[in-house]
Structure formats: structure tokens, C-alpha cells
Amino acid sequence: MALVPCQVLRAAILLSYCSILCNYKAIDMPAHQTYGGSWKFLTFIDLVIQAVFFGICVLTDLSSLLTKGNDSQEQERQLKKLISLRDWVMAVLAFPVGVFVVTMFWSIYIYDRELVYPKLLDNFIPAWLNHGMVSKVTQTLSCKNRSVGH
């Protein structure tokens, strides 16, 4: 059974989120040593939410592929619960928080960069990592959230 492009895209996005999280945690930044560590940054919290969301998406896709053609009512019920969890996480957490972070970060960045991303951080966080952490939410929109048809 062939994977559809959307399923491959979701798996690739999940892997990219994990690589960004690993790189971010490996950076020795002074802000990580203070109260709250990296969890005080809304961009980091958003990155974790997006990674969890895409993990659920990949799990849903794998479950739908494995149960396709199966007439088990229990598996069907479990898949529907997983799909409703995925839809809930998208509607309540991933989309609103992601859009807020991207909109606010880039709006404030354009107005005055020093307020959200001081030049000092360029020594610790590479430009590609900053862009990946803040702008990954656009990939959430690139793969439309569809339910598995039965």
C-alpha cells in the first residue's frame, strides 16, 4: 500500500521538528540557565506543541494504513478516537498558538528587532534555527487536516 504525499509530508515535518528541538537544546545559551529555562519562550512551547501534533498525525496515518481493509469494530472505534484527538489538538492548540507566535514574532521583529530577538542571540542561535522555530507553523497549513474516509 503506497503512502500518499500528505502522509510523507507529515512524517518529514515531524522529523524536522525533532531535529530543530535537538539542535535548540544543544545550544549553550545564558537564557537556558535562568528560571524557566527554554520553557519561558513561547516559540519553544509552540515548537513542542507542533511536534506533538505532527506525531499524532503520523500515528493516525500509520493506524489508518494498518487498519485499512480490516472489519474490526474495535480498531475502527480506536481510529476514530485518534482522529478526533488529532482534530482537537489542531483546533485548540497547534493552529491558534502557531499563528499567534508567527504573527506576533514577525510583527514585533519588523517594528524593533531588539524587543524579541536581540543581535546578541545571533552568537548563540543560527539564523536557520530561528527561522525554523518561528515559521514552521506555515507547514501546519500546507498539509490540510483531513479525516480518513471510510
Side-chain angles (χ1 to χ4, degrees):
M1 190 166 291
L3 292 173
V4 295
C6 191
Q7 293 166 332
V8 173
L9 179 63
R10 283 181 177 157
I13 291 170
L14 178 63
L15 290 175
S16 70
Y17 275 124
C18 291
S19 70
I20 289 174
L21 278 170
C22 290
N23 280 317
Y24 182 74
K25 293 303 276 181
I27 295 172
D28 187 28
M29 243 179 26
H32 289 177
Q33 316 307 323
T34 60
Y35 178 76
S38 56
W39 289 98
K40 68 179 164 234
F41 301 116
L42 191 56
T43 53
F44 182 78
I45 294 170
D46 179 47
L47 186 64
V48 172
I49 290 171
Q50 298 293 328
V52 168
F53 169 68
F54 276 102
I56 294 170
C57 287
V58 169
L59 184 63
T60 304
D61 289 338
L62 289 175
S63 297
S64 67
L65 285 174
L66 294 174
T67 60
K68 195 171 265 189
N70 228 347
D71 292 334
S72 172
Q73 295 291 349
E74 179 63 24
Q75 287 179 346
E76 186 80 22
R77 189 174 63 78
Q78 293 294 334
L79 182 60
K80 286 184 180 182
K81 281 185 180 179
L82 199 55
I83 290 170
S84 66
L85 173 67
R86 178 197 65 190
D87 294 344
W88 182 86
V89 170
M90 172 68 172
V92 174
L93 292 173
F95 184 76
V97 173
V99 169
F100 178 78
V101 165
V102 169
T103 304
M104 293 310 298
F105 180 87
W106 290 115
S107 298
I108 296 172
Y109 187 92
I110 290 169
Y111 177 72
D112 184 8
R113 174 193 170 149
E114 292 295 315
L115 291 175
V116 289
Y117 192 70
K119 290 190 188 284
L120 170 72
L121 290 179
D122 289 337
N123 298 329
F124 301 103
I125 302 176
W128 69 268
L129 186 57
N130 177 47
H131 186 67
M133 282 179 42
V134 176
S135 301
K136 277 288 200 181
V137 73
T138 55
Q139 289 184 352
T140 302
L141 305 174
S142 67
C143 189
K144 71 178 183 179
N145 190 15
R146 61 176 175 80
S147 295
V148 179
H150 294 285

